[in-house]
Each structure stands twice: as structure tokens, then as C-alpha cells.
Amino acid sequence: MTGTAPPAKPRPVVQPWARPFWEATREGRLALQYCRACHVHVHYPRIACPHCGGDRMEWRTASGRGTIYSYTVVVSNAPSAFTADMPYVVAIIHLDEGVRMLSNVVGCDPDALRCDMPVEVVFERIDDEFTLPKFRPIEA
Amino acid sequence: MSRGKTAIVGIGEIPTGRHPDRGAISYALEAARLAIADAGIAKDEIDFVIPTTAVFSFQFSNELTTCRLVEELGLKSVSANATVFSGGSSSTNALRIASALIETGRARCILFVHCDKLGTGVSAQGGIDLFSTAGISMEWEVPFGQHYSTVAALATQRYKHETGTTDEELSAVCVSNRKWAELNPNAFFRKPLTLEEVMASKMLATPLRAKHSNMLFDGGAAFVVTSAERARDLVPRPAYVLGEGGVVTHFAYHQEPDLTRFGWASAGRQAFAEAGIAPSDIDVAEIYDSYPIYQLIAMEEIGLCARGEAGAMHLRGDTWPGGRLPTTTDGGMLSKGHIGAGGSVSLLVEAARQVMGKAGARQVPNCRFAVETAVGGTYMDAQVTILGNEP
Ligand SMILES: [Zn+2]
């Protein structure tokens, strides 16, 4: 792998019905779909509600708060585009709205992370088009 | 499906390894010819061929899909060649479909073939990069650096948190599977492995270490399925298909509701109910082991031991040669080696081999019932198969 630049970071391959999610992150908001028939949030965004199959879906701004369901600190053998980021944290966040999201936990000592630790969203702009929602521990 | 109406009558396998000088087609052809010979049939009794996908090459997989095996093997009586692919659960799904075709009279004698060339057909980093997108959401996971080590590590971390299983117990899976691989001439890693070596190996993604990770190799295997009636005339000890169960839970890994359980409990209940036996009747367990965590979870959830107990079983030696519940007796992906969809092909072939009494130094005495588990993608499904030596 010497002599060649690492490949560019993979950018989200966006489905048309998920555009409001990415538009919101650009504005520094976390937006989630909500089914007005089932009265539940849905993530990731779907073309129809995965519970009732209906299309009474609307976008709501989420609290941006949740807990770490599980996490891992990547220290070696990452995909090429991520080797320069090591160590980095991949985590599944359980949002207070009852849905899960895969993300990174940033701005923390990786050794201090624990399952079920409370976190809040932060926004990381990667280019003009994409801002990724990431999470950091909430200070006790 | 109905219990014991079909059986595996022939198996073939080439050693897992690195064969840079051999084309992948040679593994498929050799495994197929071994399986046909093992079944004691003439090649032209095969009337249906099910290849599965070789992940290393789209071109090569297309050749398998477009009947290359039928032509190269010179099979003259084949009505259909249809690829079945669901990643690591391909063998189970192929057996399920083969059994249905035979029971309904659509086919009489079905050849399933797998081969792949992940050891020498792709570079080491190429393998990591390939598995950083295969079955991983391009919108919701890939941009955050998700790949197969993080996938396994996320389940391991949560499972440790909920059950109190230790790194030592987790690592004992690798030691146990290696003890079986030492006895398997088709396994790649055959030198003894200690708990200390596993726990001192390089950290990949906490708490997952290098020796908790499978390695990719070249290899291939095949099996022949026919009706129970025909099976009795062909071979002395067919491996009858007694029960099957399956549950599909997710595509994107973060959507799985419980990373410490997956769909195994329901899949296991279905398979045991169909087979009419209990988990305590099982003589040998061939458990999908791409990482140790999945061997622990599947064993517990299908009822081979209590929740949180599987690690201790491996540490105590219950799963070792001579143990109370011989487990993953071909060495598994952790020690025999990972060959793409072949992980569970190997395990299904080994389950049949044990039931047929052909496992040599690894033979479990009086093996009546074998359970095999398989899973594809990022552990998207839970598939359980029970084989037995009587219909
Ligand atoms: Zn709904």
C-alpha cells in the first residue's frame, strides 16, 4: 500500500426519500421520520413505514440524545479510507426516540467509553454536500 | 418440509489453503467429482446443479451461474443450473431448496458446489476493503468506517456487557476449534494454539483481536442430495435432513434488535420441532464461527447450553475432542479457514461427514444427530439444520 494515496472517504449513497435527513444535518439538525399511523419514529429513512406499510410519514427534529448500545475502538486493519483515522470509535447509538443509528463517538477518551453511556449528537461537515451526525459523551 | 424425506449421500472437499497456481474452477470440479464418487452414482444421474457465488470474482461467478460446471463436468441429464447465494448461509438455503425440489418431484439428484479464491485471488487489504462494503449499508454504515471487524466487535462488546463473559472465555473458542483443526487434513491452521497466544495477538477493534478473526483462503466443497428412498440404496449411512429452521432479522447491522441473540432461538425451535428431538439429543454441533462471539451466541440461543455459559464450556473443554459436546469439529472458519460462502458449506459437509461416520480422527462415536448453523451478510439471518443417521 506504499506510494499511493489512500482512497477518498466513502460518502453516503443517498436514497431520494432520505434527502431531508441529509439536508437537516447540513443545518445542524438531526431529523427522523415519524409514522403518524403507528406513532413511532423510524430510522433509517424508508420509502414507507416498515411497521404498517403506509405513507403517513413526516419528518421531526430529534432530541439528538441517546445512549451507546455498543461500541468498538478500531486500532488496526481498518478499511483503506479509514486507516489514517485510527484509533476511531464505531458505535450503535440508541436514540431517545427509540431508534438506532450507526455512527462514530468523537471528542472523548476511547478508554472511558461504556455500554449504555449517555451521548449527544455533534455534526461533522465533510464537504459542501455532507455533514455526518456523530456523538459525544454527555458530561455527568 | 417433512422430516427425513431427503438426504445428503455424497460429500467432497479440497483442502483449504493458498493455491496461487490453480484456477478456482479446478477446486469446484475436484470437489464435485469427489462428491459424485462418494455418492456412488454415475455423473449423469445428477439432474439439477446448484452452484453458489464465488465472492472473489464477479466474472467467475457469472460463469458458474451460466452453466460452466455442467459443461466442464460433462453432465448430460441436467434440467436446470440455478445459483443459490445468501452469503454465509448459502449452503443451508441450497439444501432447503434442494430438499423441496426433490420432495415435490422436480428433481431427483442435486449437486451443490462451492469454491472461492479469497486467499490468493485478492490482496490482504483488498479482502478487508471487499468486506467493508459487502452486506454493509452504503448510506448508513460504510461512511462511518463499519467493516467486518467492527461488526463482530460490536456484538462482542454488548454480549460481554450483558453476560459477563470474559476475554479468556471468548478466546477459548479459538483454542477449542484449533484442537479440532489439528485433526483435520483439510484445515489450514493445524499447529496447537494456546489461550495466551490468542489473548496476546494484535488488537483489531476492541475487544476483538487478530486471532479472534477468521482468515480468508482458497478452497471448495460439494455435496449431493437425493430422496431418502434413493439414499438407502446408494450408501450405507446417508445423512438424512431431519429439520430446518430460519429467521431473517436485518440488512443493516444496527437494525438488528438484539446483537446478543439474533434470530437463533426461533430458528432452533423450528428445526428441533421438525426433527422431533431436543437440543440435549445432539451428538455434534457444527456452529458458524467466523468470530468467536457467533459460536457462543448460536450455541446458547438454540439451546445447547444456558445463556452466558458457552464461553465456560469452551474453556472447560466440553467442546474439545473427547468432550461432552464436540463443537465445530472441522476447525471452523477460525482454524480451517474462511472461504467466503464456504464457511457454512464446510460446516454442513462436516455435519454430514460425522453422521455418515466418515470423519476419521475427528469422528464422534455413535453420532446419531448433528446440528449445523449458518448465517450470511452481517449476521442477517439465523439458519439451523439438523441431520441424522435415520430418516
Ligand atoms: Zn406505520
Side-chain angles (χ1 to χ4, degrees):
Chain A
M1 297 307 289
T2 52
T4 51
K9 282 279 175 60
R11 300 158 85 240
V13 177
V14 177
Q15 298 300 322
W17 53 86
R19 278 193 197 118
F21 178 91
W22 298 109
E23 285 161 11
T25 58
R26 269 205 303 274
E27 298 164 4
R29 276 189 310 117
L30 190 67
L32 296 174
Q33 277 182 320
Y34 180 84
C35 176
R36 286 182 291 134
C38 297
H39 306 288
V40 291
H41 285 87
V42 170
H43 184 79
Y44 51 90
R46 308 295 164 90
I47 195 165
C49 172
H51 307 294
C52 68
D55 58 3
R56 294 180 60 196
M57 306 284 277
E58 65 183 24
W59 286 92
R60 293 189 175 182
T61 298
S63 66
R65 297 167 81 96
T67 54
I68 296 175
Y69 174 65
S70 194
Y71 68 95
T72 178
V73 187
V74 182
V75 294
S76 55
N77 294 33
S80 303
F82 290 88
T83 51
D85 293 0
M86 295 188 296
Y88 68 95
V89 178
V90 173
I92 296 174
I93 309 300
H94 191 90
L95 295 173
D96 286 357
E97 286 77 11
V99 293
R100 291 202 186 140
M101 181 177 288
L102 189 96
S103 185
N104 303 125
V105 179
V106 295
C108 65
D109 169 13
D111 291 338
L113 294 174
R114 297 289 178 268
C115 288
D116 300 330
M117 177 182 265
V119 290
E120 65 187 0
V121 72
V122 291
F123 293 96
E124 197 171 291
R125 184 179 178 279
I126 56 173
D127 55 31
D128 286 347
E129 191 179 359
F130 285 108
T131 296
L132 299 182
K134 301 201 170 182
F135 291 81
R136 70 176 170 214
I138 297 174
E139 301 300 328
Chain B
M1 301 309 296
S2 36
R3 180 189 196 277
K5 295 287 194 228
T6 60
I8 295 175
V9 288
I11 54 175
E13 185 175 69
I14 69 158
T16 296
R18 295 194 178 100
H19 315 295
D21 50 333
R22 286 183 61 175
I25 191 67
S26 74
Y27 322 151
L29 298 177
E30 187 176 334
R33 293 180 66 199
L34 286 169
I36 292 168
D38 192 44
I41 56 171
K43 70 177 172 60
D44 289 331
E45 290 186 63
I46 300 291
D47 62 352
F48 202 110
V49 176
I50 305 181
T52 190
T53 292
V55 180
F56 88 101
S57 165
F58 186 71
Q59 167 65 27
F60 179 70
S61 286
N62 268 350
E63 292 174 8
L64 298 180
T65 294
T66 51
C67 303
R68 182 171 177 186
L69 289 174
V70 178
E71 184 168 279
E72 295 258 13
L73 290 165
L75 304 179
K76 308 297 185 197
S77 311
V78 171
S79 66
N81 176 95
T83 295
V84 171
F85 182 59
S86 58
S89 58
S90 300
S91 62
T92 309
N93 283 321
L95 179 64
R96 172 180 284 148
I97 290 165
S99 291
L101 290 168
I102 289 164
E103 271 198 66
T104 53
R106 292 287 175 194
R108 288 187 306 278
C109 203
I110 299 180
L111 173 68
F112 170 83
V113 186
H114 167 265
C115 71
D116 214 323
K117 201 171 167 60
L118 291 165
T120 59
V122 293
S123 68
Q125 186 65 39
I128 294 172
D129 291 346
L130 175 69
F131 283 95
S132 67
T133 54
I136 298 180
S137 168
M138 296 298 282
E139 185 164 9
W140 305 107
E141 295 201 342
V142 169
F144 299 95
Q146 176 86 310
H147 56 288
Y148 273 71
S149 294
T150 55
V151 162
L154 288 166
T156 309
Q157 190 83 267
R158 185 72 199 182
Y159 175 87
K160 284 181 65 185
H161 175 75
E162 291 194 18
T163 65
T165 291
T166 64
D167 287 325
E168 201 173 39
E169 289 169 334
L170 191 77
S171 301
V173 174
C174 307
V175 173
S176 176
N177 293 8
R178 179 63 58 89
K179 287 179 187 295
W180 287 107
E182 286 173 41
L183 304 175
N184 184 358
N186 285 350
F188 185 82
F189 295 105
R190 300 192 62 198
K191 287 187 190 145
L193 178 68
T194 66
L195 206 55
E196 293 69 31
E197 287 173 87
V198 179
M199 294 180 66
S201 65
K202 182 172 76 166
M203 188 66 84
L204 300 180
T206 60
L208 193 84
R209 294 178 180 276
K211 289 205 185 309
H212 295 142
S213 181
N214 64 79
M215 279 180 68
L216 297 167
F217 293 101
D218 306 340
F223 56 80
V224 174
V225 190
T226 191
S227 67
E229 286 158 5
R230 181 91 177 95
R232 271 187 289 276
D233 296 335
L234 289 176
V235 293
R237 280 181 65 134
Y240 295 96
V241 181
L242 300 186
E244 293 180 319
V247 176
V248 174
T249 48
H250 62 270
F251 158 63
Y253 196 60
H254 69 273
Q255 296 284 315
E256 162 59 46
D258 192 339
L259 288 184
T260 70
R261 295 183 185 274
F262 301 89
W264 293 113
S266 171
R269 277 194 300 273
Q270 294 167 37
F272 281 106
E274 189 183 15
I277 63 168
S280 57
D281 293 322
I282 290 296
D283 299 304
V284 63
E286 306 296 349
I287 306 294
Y288 195 93
D289 68 323
S290 50
Y291 297 89
I293 184 63
Y294 300 112
Q295 184 157 318
L296 298 181
I297 292 173
M299 288 177 75
E300 293 173 1
E301 293 295 308
I302 68 172
L304 297 175
C305 62
R307 166 96 161 163
E309 293 296 315
M313 276 180 69
H314 287 83
L315 200 55
R316 271 201 306 270
D318 290 358
T319 55
W320 301 1
R324 183 171 63 77
L325 182 63
T327 301
T328 313
T329 60
D330 73 342
M333 278 156 274
L334 291 170
S335 275
K336 179 172 179 282
H338 190 335
I339 38 175
S344 71
V345 182
S346 289
L347 289 169
L348 189 56
V349 163
E350 176 74 359
R353 191 185 276 128
Q354 289 283 356
V355 166
M356 295 163 98
K358 294 179 175 178
R362 306 187 304 288
Q363 183 63 48
V364 172
N366 308 314
C367 183
R368 294 188 308 148
F369 300 113
V371 64
E372 185 257 358
T373 68
V375 42
T378 57
Y379 311 90
M380 66 192 185
D381 60 350
Q383 305 293 352
V384 179
T385 304
I386 297 170
L387 302 179
N389 64 358
E390 286 175 23

